Amino acid sequence: MMMRLDNITKSRKVLTMYLDILGTIRINNFEKDFKKKVDDFVKDLDLNEEYIVLHDNYDGNYRSDYDMSFANITSVKNFDRYLPDRNLTQIAAKSPHSSQTLPELWKQIWDLEEDGVLHRAYLYDIEYHQKDGTVAILLGTRD
């Protein structure tokens, strides 16, 4: 069944970021205790009001293990990780006023991929958590 692109905003962005990585966890989206594992890991991190969750080092696709790094955006002079200019597709944004949860949004992205509508590159993907509660999801895509 083809999924419609309702609630999906697709726009291209060229992005350069310098990240102060506070911690990285190896994870799989389908682990039984995924949410608890992430929540326990994040609780002691000193994240700013705006922060990045970087998904990279994929073993395959969204069903595989990958690294989830939590980072603050920083200046050029003080960084752990540099994300070079790269075309990313902002595929979705979760509004703080939306009833849709972040896991539901990711599920919608995976469904689009399964339906052949979305072609991810699996180099790195970004969740940009903003001060107002909006979370923008930027994906590396092949189209």
Side-chain angles (χ1 to χ4, degrees):
M1 179 173 119
M2 285 295 270
M3 185 170 202
R4 291 182 37 202
L5 290 175
D6 296 343
N7 302 323
I8 295 289
T9 304
K10 198 169 180 182
S11 61
R12 301 295 276 186
K13 301 203 178 282
V14 176
L15 185 69
T16 300
M17 281 190 177
Y18 298 91
L19 302 179
D20 177 15
I21 305 286
L22 302 176
T24 301
I25 187 172
R26 190 80 179 155
I27 197 108
N28 185 295
N29 292 320
F30 300 99
E31 288 182 40
K32 184 175 78 172
D33 57 348
F34 177 90
K35 182 171 177 9
K36 181 181 180 342
K37 187 175 179 181
V38 172
D39 288 347
D40 287 350
F41 183 78
V42 171
K43 71 181 176 191
D44 295 324
L45 299 180
D46 188 20
L47 291 167
N48 293 338
E49 282 185 281
E50 291 195 345
Y51 63 94
I52 297 294
V53 179
L54 175 68
H55 302 233
D56 67 346
N57 295 321
Y58 288 96
D59 280 347
N61 62 20
Y62 69 89
R63 293 182 199 93
S64 307
D65 292 352
Y66 63 96
D67 288 345
M68 180 184 278
S69 299
F70 295 83
N72 291 323
I73 301 169
T74 189
S75 70
V76 177
K77 296 174 185 167
N78 177 29
F79 69 93
D80 295 322
R81 177 83 187 263
Y82 167 68
L83 299 182
D85 283 350
R86 170 150 181 235
N87 279 325
L88 294 169
T89 300
Q90 181 173 331
I91 195 71
K94 180 199 166 305
S95 161
H97 309 293
S98 168
S99 62
Q100 186 176 38
T101 66
L102 199 54
E104 289 170 341
L105 192 54
W106 275 108
K107 170 76 169 84
Q108 191 175 11
I109 289 168
W110 301 335
D111 289 346
L112 289 171
E113 190 172 2
E114 289 296 323
D115 290 342
V117 175
L118 182 64
H119 307 284
R120 292 174 59 194
Y122 286 101
L123 296 174
Y124 63 80
D125 302 310
I126 295 169
E127 290 178 19
Y128 178 24
H129 294 254
Q130 300 168 37
K131 284 184 207 178
D132 68 358
T134 299
V135 180
I137 297 178
L138 298 101
L139 303 174
T141 57
R142 291 182 278 139
D143 23 82

